[in-house]
Amino acid sequence: MSNNDAMNSEIRFLEEVEEKLKTRITEINALFLEGEKQIESMHDYYWENYTEMDEYGYENYDNQQALLGEVNANNERLMKKQRLKKMIDSPYFGRVDFLFEGEEESESFYIGIGNFAPKAGMTPLIYDWRAPVSGLFYDYDAGRASYVAPAGIVEGEIVKKYQYKIKKGKLIYAVESDIKIDDDILKQALSMNADARLKSIVSTIQKEQNSIIRNEKDKILIVQGGAGSGKTSVALHRIAYLLYRHRNDLMASQVLILSPNDVFSDYISHIMPELGEENISEMTFDDFAAKELSDVA
């Protein structure tokens, strides 16, 4: 395939993903509006009938639980829509062509800030950067590779790796790279915006950073490094990874970030939504100490 044909193929795939993202957002919008109507109807029913509900409160409880379930479902729809809207600007930043052991043709895995499949149960078009298969992009050069899936270790070979720059839904470049992402690309990505805020590094995570982010063997982890070495960024990406990996047991509301001061809190404030997670509670050390010691004479 010529370079022009390859680029045209990439553009067609991006356009296909963009259209399916827009279609999915439209579907979620419709479900959200229907949920809003259902919530309003449940409120109306409750206030019209609460005086006639059984004296033991069972019917009242059932109604409250049903209402809570619908509210939670609509909140999830809203969060999902927000994630997909972020993906429209830049759906993915990397791709790994992986030849599974015993297979004859490689399979392409596009990697972005979140999973995306046109319908529930379908094979994703885009894989979340925290998904097990995405580790291939960060940990290996072209050649033999493996990743840990729920069913066990998957062996194979990385045939090709690609990096993409997509802005406002337009493909700026697609670069085939058989080697790991190097520090020059990392520095360029982090210096593109002069805004004094921490930036997402999901497209440029180094192998050593990835091992820290995905470490689940150590319950207590201390990361040392000089100023500007990326400690804070890696810590926040690790939080996002753990929230994704343990999403059935761990919620953002259970995580607290302790900051040295309010300036630092503002510096990191927007990074979690960029990584596909909701904002997490932050508190300075002084505020935390005051809260914990408020009952101490």
Side-chain angles (χ1 to χ4, degrees):
M1 184 182 292
S2 69
N3 288 337
N4 283 339
D5 289 340
M7 181 59 72
N8 288 335
S9 177
E10 293 287 1
I11 291 172
R12 285 195 299 271
F13 179 76
L14 176 59
E15 290 174 346
E16 176 189 348
V17 170
E18 294 277 349
E19 283 302 312
K20 290 182 176 179
L21 277 167
K22 291 174 183 176
T23 298
R24 188 73 186 112
I25 289 172
T26 300
E27 292 171 351
I28 292 174
N29 266 333
L31 290 172
F32 180 82
L33 292 174
E34 184 60 34
E36 290 282 275
K37 291 179 181 178
Q38 184 69 12
I39 291 169
E40 184 178 354
S41 175
M42 292 168 79
H43 272 297
D44 291 342
Y45 174 84
Y46 177 80
W47 290 113
E48 289 172 5
N49 297 278
Y50 79 97
T51 56
E52 299 176 10
M53 291 181 182
D54 67 274
E55 60 181 301
Y56 301 106
Y58 295 125
E59 190 175 356
N60 180 39
Y61 177 79
D62 288 343
N63 275 274
Q64 291 297 324
Q65 289 300 109
L67 177 61
L68 180 61
E70 192 61 43
V71 169
N72 288 338
N74 241 21
N75 285 338
E76 288 183 13
R77 291 174 188 129
L78 185 60
M79 289 173 59
K80 191 168 189 178
K81 185 180 80 168
Q82 290 171 342
R83 284 197 295 268
L84 294 181
K85 287 179 73 173
K86 287 180 183 294
M87 291 181 72
I88 283 183
D89 182 62
S90 181
Y92 49 87
F93 53 79
R95 171 182 143 196
V96 175
D97 290 354
F98 188 67
L99 181 63
F100 289 91
E101 194 79 60
E103 298 292 330
E104 295 183 357
E105 293 187 9
S106 62
E107 186 172 343
S108 295
F109 297 96
Y110 286 82
I111 301 163
I113 63 166
N115 281 316
F116 172 64
K119 297 285 185 182
M122 293 180 66
T123 300
L125 291 174
I126 312 297
Y127 287 84
D128 193 292
W129 66 276
R130 298 163 290 186
V133 71
S134 300
L136 295 171
F137 180 75
Y138 299 115
D139 288 338
Y140 293 96
D141 304 333
R144 296 294 301 176
S146 64
Y147 67 94
V148 180
I153 297 176
V154 179
E155 302 277 355
E157 178 183 353
I158 293 177
V159 179
K160 291 180 180 179
K161 287 173 62 177
Y162 292 85
Q163 292 172 247
Y164 301 95
K165 176 64 178 177
I166 300 171
K167 189 172 183 180
K168 295 183 179 178
K170 301 296 181 183
L171 182 62
I172 308 302
Y173 64 72
V175 179
E176 182 180 347
S177 175
D178 292 336
I179 60 175
K180 67 179 180 181
I181 304 166
D182 62 31
D183 288 336
D184 289 337
I185 295 175
L186 174 62
K187 290 173 184 175
Q188 180 185 4
L190 295 179
S191 63
M192 283 174 62
N193 187 344
D195 183 14
R197 287 188 172 187
L198 191 66
K199 299 165 180 70
S200 167
I201 60 167
V202 291
S203 63
T204 54
I205 291 172
Q206 306 293 284
K207 182 177 180 180
E208 294 80 6
Q209 294 172 324
N210 193 48
S211 66
I212 296 170
I213 291 168
R214 295 175 186 258
N215 184 321
E216 294 189 60
K217 296 178 182 178
D218 301 304
K219 292 185 178 180
I220 298 175
L221 195 63
I222 298 175
V223 179
Q224 292 181 300
S229 60
K231 300 184 299 298
T232 301
S233 188
V234 167
L236 294 176
H237 284 67
R238 175 171 170 75
I239 292 170
Y241 170 76
L242 292 174
L243 287 170
Y244 174 86
R245 179 72 175 80
H246 301 282
R247 55 190 174 276
N248 293 327
D249 306 307
L250 182 65
M251 298 182 293
S253 60
Q254 296 173 298
V255 179
L256 172 66
I257 298 175
L258 290 175
S259 304
N261 50 56
D262 292 330
V263 174
F264 184 84
S265 295
D266 183 64
Y267 174 65
I268 66 174
S269 62
H270 75 304
I271 198 71
M272 297 308 293
E274 284 192 10
L275 299 176
E277 295 294 341
E278 60 186 284
N279 267 322
I280 287 174
S281 298
E282 299 171 38
M283 191 178 292
T284 65
F285 289 106
D286 289 344
D287 289 340
F288 178 74
K291 180 176 180 294
E292 291 299 308
L293 299 174
S294 60
D295 296 331
V296 177

